[in-house]
Amino acid sequence: MAEGSTVLLDPLLILRSSIASNNPPVPTTSPDASAGNATDNLALATHLHFSSPSHQTYELAAPTRFVSSSTPVDLRSIYFAWQKKDVAIPDYIASAQQLNEELAAPGGAGGRVQNLVFVERLDLITWLEGASDESEYITPLEGDEGRAAAAGAALVASGAAGGAAAVASAGGRTGKTIDPRLQEIYNGERRMGDRNTVLRGIKPTDFSHVRKSAEAFLGRTRARPSAPTAAAGTSLRPTSSTPSIPPSIPSHPKKPSRRPDPIILLSPSASSLLRMSNIKPFLESGSYQPPAPTSTTTILHISRLLPSIDATRPLRFILVDSPDQFKPDYWDRVVAVFTTGQTWQFKSYKWSSPADLFGRVLGVYLGWRGEEVPDSVRGWGRGVVNVGVDKWIEGRKGEGRWRDREVVETVWGQIEGWMKGRGWGANTG
């Protein structure tokens, strides 16, 4: 571990810094970081040693600030998710099951790897890579010391600093160094629930008493028939039994929550002109290429500026071809569904009927220019946008496909108009 005079950084921050500096941590079988204790088998490792930005060692079973289903995720699960960042979801799930069996076997380190759902895993990897500075699943550090530690980790990741420093307060003064033993106590503290865990508990909560208190405080209680009236030339004044109502109550604007990422669903059909292998260059650069015969990609994300929704910040869209890993609230974030006209695509959807689906979500059908639109697609009405691209000619390598850009702009315009009509804004979804 680091010396007592060195500030213990948060495990997530130091992991992010080590990834940015291209010095990944090394799993070890003991707190001693000597070469003889290093191992590549995560089932045998009990600690994780960092050499950058400073030499520190953490237990793999230690909880982190990353929260999944109101439960902190341990460092082993975080590191394992980072190791498997490039594999497909089925391979990631199979690897997690195999590692859990090895951990429970004789000689294993014990414990269990938590399997993160695809949106949580994508959010974690994006944050660790530095592509995003915020995460809806990471509990923020508390107080000025936490903000200073996060800022210090960012400096280390960018190369502006070479290691951990003493914690500084908001006024710029250098604070005292945190004792490592005290930091261990802080790490073991139970975190209180946030607004999501309180409002989405396991049993209904009666808030009628809050309403009664609010009515009394704001002066909205109904007048009683027996209430005394003021005589002529006199005025009622508050007494000990009549609370005084303040003339005005200062309002504190609520800080807007993080805007959810909209989701676009693709068709998994082999006959679809747009698949996971070619959808990103098509929507980003307006260049159509035929899809690859095979692709292991299951999640993509692209950014697009939609001026009528947010003229300053691009929206990040998540692209998937299957809703198998969806949580119930993810369907509220689906803004478009690309379809080939085959109804079997919708069997696993929340709305399996095309009439119900395209009454709530924008449909997009892309075919070859000049060919007839399938009767099934035409029968779904105005909820489905029909567009066509020029047929792909082998050997031309995409030459003369200047009309692809026009098609892409039409698709984005329809998506933007649909989102604006459904109430999407700069801070709301």
Side-chain angles (χ1 to χ4, degrees):
M1 296 291 290
E3 296 180 3
S5 60
T6 304
V7 176
L8 268 175
L9 292 178
D10 176 73
L12 286 179
L13 291 177
I14 196 171
L15 177 59
R16 188 187 192 199
S17 300
S18 65
I19 293 172
S21 60
N22 232 0
N23 290 308
V26 178
T28 62
T29 56
S30 72
D32 185 6
S34 59
N37 295 326
T39 178
D40 293 331
N41 191 348
L42 202 57
L44 303 177
T46 58
H47 292 74
L48 197 62
H49 176 72
F50 296 87
S51 59
S52 175
S54 62
H55 288 275
Q56 300 196 51
T57 304
Y58 296 90
E59 290 187 11
L60 285 170
T64 66
R65 293 184 293 114
F66 193 91
V67 178
S68 174
S69 301
S70 303
T71 304
V73 180
D74 62 345
L75 184 57
R76 189 192 304 273
S77 302
I78 297 294
Y79 182 67
F80 176 76
W82 167 253
Q83 283 185 320
K84 302 297 181 181
K85 63 184 179 69
D86 295 324
V87 303
I89 291 179
D91 297 335
Y92 167 71
I93 296 175
S95 299
Q97 293 175 349
Q98 180 181 356
L99 179 56
N100 284 331
E101 294 175 358
E102 295 176 357
L103 287 169
R112 184 175 181 83
V113 167
Q114 184 171 346
N115 182 17
L116 303 179
V117 299
F118 84 105
V119 173
E120 295 173 343
R121 181 166 160 243
L122 175 63
D123 190 90
L124 172 65
I125 293 172
T126 303
W127 185 84
L128 288 175
E129 287 178 338
S132 174
D133 291 332
E134 57 182 8
S135 170
E136 60 180 305
Y137 300 100
I138 296 180
T139 304
L141 292 170
E142 299 179 357
D144 295 335
E145 294 182 353
R147 287 190 290 270
L155 290 175
V156 171
S158 63
V167 176
S169 66
R173 297 173 298 178
T174 301
K176 63 180 181 180
T177 301
I178 301 178
D179 185 86
R181 293 171 295 179
L182 183 59
Q183 182 65 40
E184 282 190 275
I185 296 175
Y186 289 159
N187 292 339
E189 288 183 347
R190 177 184 176 187
R191 294 191 178 278
M192 303 301 294
D194 56 10
R195 62 181 181 86
N196 292 323
T197 57
V198 171
L199 296 179
R200 300 176 185 175
I202 60 175
K203 61 181 180 179
T205 304
D206 183 11
F207 291 101
S208 59
H209 65 285
V210 178
R211 180 180 177 183
K212 293 178 181 178
S213 300
E215 288 177 348
F217 182 76
L218 297 176
R220 295 178 181 174
T221 53
R222 284 182 270 179
R224 298 184 178 90
S226 59
T229 57
T234 63
S235 62
L236 289 176
R237 295 185 179 181
T239 63
S240 58
S241 60
T242 305
S244 176
I245 306 301
S248 63
I249 301 175
S251 61
H252 300 281
K254 182 179 178 182
K255 183 179 179 181
S257 59
R258 183 174 182 261
R259 179 178 60 195
D261 296 333
I263 300 174
I264 297 177
L265 273 169
L266 304 182
S267 171
S269 173
S271 62
S272 176
L273 300 184
L274 291 176
R275 302 289 301 277
M276 296 297 289
S277 59
N278 67 339
I279 184 65
K280 188 169 184 178
F282 180 72
L283 291 180
E284 283 187 338
S285 58
S287 174
Y288 177 80
Q289 295 180 354
T294 59
S295 175
T296 58
T297 305
T298 56
I299 307 171
L300 292 171
H301 63 272
I302 61 176
S303 296
R304 173 80 179 191
L305 185 67
L306 303 181
S308 66
I309 297 176
D310 192 339
T312 58
R313 293 184 302 163
L315 280 83
R316 189 178 71 166
F317 290 81
I318 298 176
L319 282 69
V320 293
D321 60 358
S322 172
D324 292 343
Q325 300 294 328
F326 271 25
K327 291 183 178 180
D329 59 314
Y330 291 172
W331 285 105
D332 297 334
R333 295 157 53 182
V334 177
V335 297
V337 173
F338 282 78
T339 180
T340 59
Q342 298 166 304
T343 56
W344 60 262
Q345 174 187 348
F346 317 130
K347 286 186 177 180
S348 60
Y349 286 14
K350 179 180 180 180
W351 307 287
S352 57
S353 168
D356 292 338
L357 176 64
F358 297 119
R360 296 174 171 87
V361 178
L362 176 68
V364 180
Y365 171 79
L366 182 105
W368 296 125
R369 191 186 304 273
E371 290 189 354
E372 288 291 330
V373 178
D375 294 337
S376 59
V377 177
R378 285 202 302 266
W380 294 338
R382 296 190 302 173
V384 181
V385 179
N386 302 320
V387 291
V389 294
D390 296 330
K391 285 190 176 182
W392 178 265
I393 302 177
E394 294 293 341
R396 297 187 62 176
K397 298 181 180 180
E399 297 176 358
R401 303 198 62 87
W402 53 271
R403 288 197 289 190
D404 291 348
R405 167 63 69 177
E406 179 182 352
V407 175
V408 171
E409 293 301 325
T410 299
V411 172
W412 278 120
Q414 293 290 335
I415 293 176
E416 181 177 3
W418 186 93
M419 292 177 65
K420 184 179 179 181
R422 295 307 189 278
W424 284 76
N427 296 308
T428 58

